[in-house]
């Protein structure tokens, strides 16, 4: 399940499945396969080079989870082999390979390529009605929270944010908030919009983004983003979140980066750097909070 099998048409179809046949080239079918190095030890698989110049090896998964995901990929691949012109088969082969290529480009630090993919996706869905996007890895209630539009704006905004192009990120996240169809996606977009406005030196506008968020908003997934927005709003103390920033989990990375931005807004650069260093020590390099921390440290911020 490597990036060698990622297809632009798969991703764009997944982000805008109503494109006509003369807009996108439909791949002819096989070969779509796991690469020859699939049996190599995990530690020998290099996925990316970090913004700091470090090699990033494939993130380890428990054997049972890896086996499940490889089985799901193989099932999707076989359906595509049997009926390669079926658009759903194309989309799910791509999803099981890497879900969205724009997302994967962000994870592998290829931000320019991420912008190209995601801007193309945004153009494909412009003027089309939004639709819920099925989850390849559903939440515990098996209720998808993301939509085609919200996924595109969320990830496009992040690609711009990571490049410190905050004006472009602002536009994307404003669209993300406007297009959100549920609180989960609204909270996610509002969180990054808040941080973007901080970087644009617009603290009053950032506060306005957080001030509408309420503790009782019903969420299925993005509770960490909600906690951070409540911190920014002043409804919870920073000390209540600090212990959870040091557990080395994905959630702690999200919290660690978010709390660092609370200190950034107050000019406490020593605390900012301490938390960013803690995030980078976690090893959770695919997490967006980790990537954002890495980008800031690489820029010398």
């Amino acid at each position: 399940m490597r990036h060698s099998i990622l297809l632009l048409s798969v991703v764009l179809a997944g982000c805008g499945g109503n494109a006509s046949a003369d807009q996108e080239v439909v791949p002819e079918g096989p070969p779509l396969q796991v690469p020859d190095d699939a049996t190599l030890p995990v530690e020998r698989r290099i996925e990316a080079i970090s913004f700091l110049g470090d090699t990033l090896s494939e993130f380890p998964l428990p054997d049972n989870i890896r086996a499940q995901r490889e089985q799901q990929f193989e099932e999707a691949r076989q359906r595509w082999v049997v009926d390669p012109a079926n658009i759903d088969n194309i989309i799910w082969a791509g999803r099981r390979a890497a879900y969205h290529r724009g997302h994967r480009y962000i994870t592998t630090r290829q931000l320019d390529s991420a912008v190209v993919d995601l801007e193309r996706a945004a153009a494909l869905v412009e003027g089309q009605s939004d639709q819920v996007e099925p989850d390849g890895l559903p939440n515990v209630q098996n209720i998808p929270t993301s939509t085609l539009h919200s996924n595109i704006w969320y990830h496009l905004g992040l690609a711009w944010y990571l490049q410190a192009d905050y004006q472009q990120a602002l536009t994307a996240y404003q669209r993300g908030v406007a297009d959100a169809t549920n609180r989960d996606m609204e909270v996610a977009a509002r969180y990054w919009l808040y941080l973007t406005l901080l970087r644009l030196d617009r603290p009053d506008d950032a506060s306005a983004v957080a001030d509408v968020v309420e503790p009782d908003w019903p969420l299925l997934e993005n509770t960490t983003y909600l906690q951070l927005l409540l911190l920014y709003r002043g409804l919870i103390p920073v000390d209540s979140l600090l212990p959870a920033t040091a557990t080395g989990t994905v959630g702690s990375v999200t919290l660690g980066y978010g709390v660092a931005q609370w200190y950034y807004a107050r000019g406490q650069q020593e605390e900012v750097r301490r938390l960013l260093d803690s995030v980078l020590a976690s090893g959770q390099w695919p997490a967006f909070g980790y990537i954002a921390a890495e980008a800031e440290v690489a820029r010398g911020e």
Side-chain angles (χ1 to χ4, degrees), residues 126 130 149-158 160-161 165-182 185-198 200 202 204-210 212:
E126 186 66 34
D130 202 1
H149 290 211
S150 61
N151 260 337
I152 292 167
W153 293 122
Y154 177 85
H155 291 95
L156 180 56
L158 183 61
W160 285 124
Y161 180 92
D165 192 333
Y166 301 119
Q167 197 60 52
Q168 295 272 28
L170 175 67
T171 300
Y173 282 124
Q174 286 173 331
R175 284 291 302 267
V177 170
D179 288 356
T181 59
N182 58 62
M185 292 311 298
E186 181 179 350
V187 162
R190 282 187 180 276
Y191 168 76
W192 289 103
L193 177 57
Y194 179 96
L195 300 188
T196 299
L197 287 164
L198 282 185
L200 288 170
R202 295 169 55 179
D204 291 341
D205 291 333
S207 294
V209 167
V212 303

Side-chain angles (χ1 to χ4, degrees), residues 228 244-245 251-261 272 275-276 279:
L228 288 165
T245 66
S252 75
V253 165
T254 303
L255 277 175
Y257 181 75
V259 174
Q261 304 316 300
V272 172
L275 282 163
L276 295 184
V279 166

Side-chain angles (χ1 to χ4, degrees), residues 80-99:
W80 180 75
V81 169
V82 170
D83 188 1
N86 184 301
I87 192 66
D88 285 332
N89 291 347
I90 297 170
I91 291 170
W92 276 104
R95 281 180 173 147
R96 291 306 183 191
Y99 216 69

Side-chain angles (χ1 to χ4, degrees), residues 4-54:
S4 60
I5 58 177
L6 302 182
L7 305 172
L8 178 58
S9 55
V10 171
V11 177
L12 295 181
C15 292
N18 294 325
S20 62
D22 63 347
Q23 289 176 304
E24 298 299 327
V25 177
V26 176
E28 295 179 355
L32 176 67
Q33 58 188 354
V34 177
D36 294 337
D37 67 349
T39 60
L40 292 177
V42 167
E43 61 269 22
R44 292 182 60 186
R45 295 179 180 172
I46 304 302
E47 292 288 330
I49 303 298
S50 79
F51 299 133
L52 297 169
D54 301 320

Side-chain angles (χ1 to χ4, degrees), residues 48 81 130 137 148 219 249:
V81 169
D130 202 1
L137 298 173
L148 297 184
L219 300 179
T249 63

